[in-house]
Amino acid sequence: MENEKLAKIVEAARLYYQLDYSQQDIAKKLDVSRPTVSRLLKQAKELGIVEIKINNPVETGEILTEQLKAKFGLKDAYVISVPEFENEIIKKYIGEAAAAYLYNVINEGDIVATSWGTTIYEVAKNLKPKNISGAQIVQLNGGISHSETKTYASEIIHLFGEAFNTPTFLLPLPAIVDHIVVKQAIEADRHIHKLLEKGREANIAIFSVGIPEVDSVLLQAEYFSNSDRELIQSKAAGEICSRFFDKQGYICIEGLNDRTIGIQLDELAKKDKSILIAGGPRKLDAIYGALKGGYANVLVTDDLTAKMLLEQDY
């Protein structure tokens, strides 16, 4: 093909695909007819000068879902496309997606146990009303803060109960106490014992993961001494229901674990649906550890985090 002809094909393709010229405008600029422009663009594709690729986010999400299920042995996974990988935006999008998922899966007679924190609060805010006969909502772990930091524990329980028109059971306790004997005394109370048992009986659990950073809700809630904080930040990858684990999912600070009020992580793994709602690169190690530990059998996350989880192999 003559260089002059090839140059005209390339120029037509550049004007049309890169600069958004109309075919009529290209015809005027190149001093050719509009049908000629159409032929030039067709030739650009035939010669491989132009390659058209369609990225289907729905198809991509489905592929990532199947890969996550296979790698981590999940019952299900939901991968959400987000416009920006900024922490608050990720929480908003996965919160909305998780709320839609829960609308479909919570049914008559279910006992639903939920943790607290900013991610689960996004879920609770986005729940659509659905009357469910015989269902109950219970708090998984203590959520009273010793500081002004909001854990959203009571708000979350209230919003779940309001959305599904069900009875709610709040656990009016701190997440972690100073001594194991205090925990034992609290759990021996028959009213508290009954609430904790209801959390264990729940067939659906909803939770996120926290990370051992200074701005986390749990660390701001003033449960920990300085030595506790140093231990957490040196050993833990993340926490679920205030119980800390490493990148492989193993409980890594037994002393704190013994002082924590609420469900044990191995009990989460036994639920019909143990739903982890978390995303963002900052939480990658925590999410990976939670999945390796087998604490979740359903994951709701964003597409970037999904890809990064599939690449991880500690």
Side-chain angles (χ1 to χ4, degrees):
M1 182 178 289
E2 298 175 6
N3 286 343
E4 185 179 341
K5 173 73 170 175
L6 190 59
K8 191 165 282 190
I9 292 171
V10 171
E11 180 64 5
R14 188 181 72 84
L15 292 168
Y16 187 73
Y17 290 106
Q18 290 186 329
L19 301 179
D20 291 327
Y21 276 56
S22 69
Q23 291 191 22
Q24 189 62 45
D25 289 339
I26 296 170
K28 289 178 183 177
K29 189 171 180 65
L30 299 183
D31 194 24
V32 296
S33 68
R34 191 184 176 289
T36 299
V37 173
S38 183
R39 283 195 298 273
L40 291 172
L41 294 174
K42 184 180 179 184
Q43 286 178 295
K45 286 191 278 186
E46 290 171 349
L47 293 169
I49 294 167
V50 170
E51 293 181 353
I52 296 174
K53 181 182 177 184
I54 297 173
N55 292 313
N56 183 342
V58 174
E59 183 181 326
T60 302
E62 288 172 353
I63 292 169
L64 292 173
T65 289
E66 293 306 314
Q67 291 174 333
L68 286 169
K69 286 163 68 176
K71 179 170 182 174
F72 296 106
L74 299 170
K75 290 182 179 179
D76 222 334
Y78 293 86
V79 179
I80 313 306
S81 179
V82 297
E84 287 181 55
F85 295 107
E86 195 274 320
N87 196 38
E88 295 308 312
I89 291 173
I90 290 170
K91 284 182 185 179
K92 177 181 182 295
Y93 275 78
I94 64 174
E96 289 172 354
Y101 169 69
L102 291 173
Y103 182 90
N104 292 320
V105 301
I106 297 177
N107 294 308
E108 219 173 279
D110 284 336
I111 301 177
V112 181
T114 178
S115 67
W116 42 264
T118 52
T119 300
I120 304 303
Y121 185 52
E122 283 296 327
V123 178
K125 287 193 300 183
N126 285 286
L127 291 169
K128 293 179 181 175
K130 178 183 179 182
N131 286 329
I132 304 174
S133 175
Q136 300 174 69
I137 310 293
V138 62
Q139 191 176 317
L140 269 175
N141 59 318
I144 292 177
S145 174
H146 295 313
S147 71
E148 293 181 3
T149 301
K150 285 185 73 66
T151 65
Y152 298 100
S154 60
E155 290 94 333
I156 288 165
I157 289 290
H158 171 74
L159 288 169
F160 266 82
E162 192 175 60
F164 297 124
N165 195 28
T166 61
T168 59
F169 300 89
L170 188 67
L171 197 59
L173 300 167
I176 300 169
V177 293
D178 288 339
H179 302 284
I180 189 170
V181 291
V182 175
K183 173 192 167 180
Q184 290 168 341
I186 289 171
E187 292 187 345
D189 179 89
R190 63 189 177 92
H191 301 291
I192 299 301
H193 181 77
K194 185 177 178 181
L195 289 172
L196 292 171
E197 279 301 306
K198 194 170 287 293
R200 295 185 185 102
E201 291 167 9
N203 59 313
I204 297 175
I206 302 157
F207 54 93
S208 189
V209 289
I211 49 177
E213 295 186 1
V214 291
D215 60 348
S216 79
V217 173
L218 187 59
L219 263 65
Q220 287 184 348
E222 296 186 4
Y223 290 122
F224 307 112
S225 64
N226 288 336
S227 59
D228 285 337
R229 288 171 181 270
E230 289 173 9
L231 197 59
I232 289 165
Q233 292 177 323
S234 66
K235 289 192 171 186
E239 57 84 15
I240 293 172
C241 296
S242 312
R243 298 186 186 276
F244 290 91
F245 52 86
D246 62 20
K247 290 178 183 178
Q248 292 297 319
Y250 296 111
I251 294 293
C252 61
I253 309 173
E254 289 291 348
L256 282 179
N257 198 55
D258 291 340
R259 291 158 38 203
T260 300
I261 297 173
I263 197 164
Q264 296 280 355
L265 296 191
D266 59 359
E267 293 172 327
L268 280 179
K270 300 171 186 175
K271 306 292 186 190
D272 293 339
K273 286 186 174 62
S274 184
I275 306 164
L276 170 57
I277 304 160
R282 287 176 66 198
K283 289 191 172 183
L284 179 64
D285 288 348
I287 298 169
Y288 185 86
L291 296 177
K292 286 289 284 185
Y295 305 132
N297 54 38
V298 177
L299 173 67
V300 182
T301 193
D302 64 272
D303 48 356
L304 176 63
T305 303
K307 291 171 187 173
M308 294 172 75
L309 284 168
L310 292 167
E311 292 167 0
Q312 296 301 306
D313 192 15
Y314 294 115

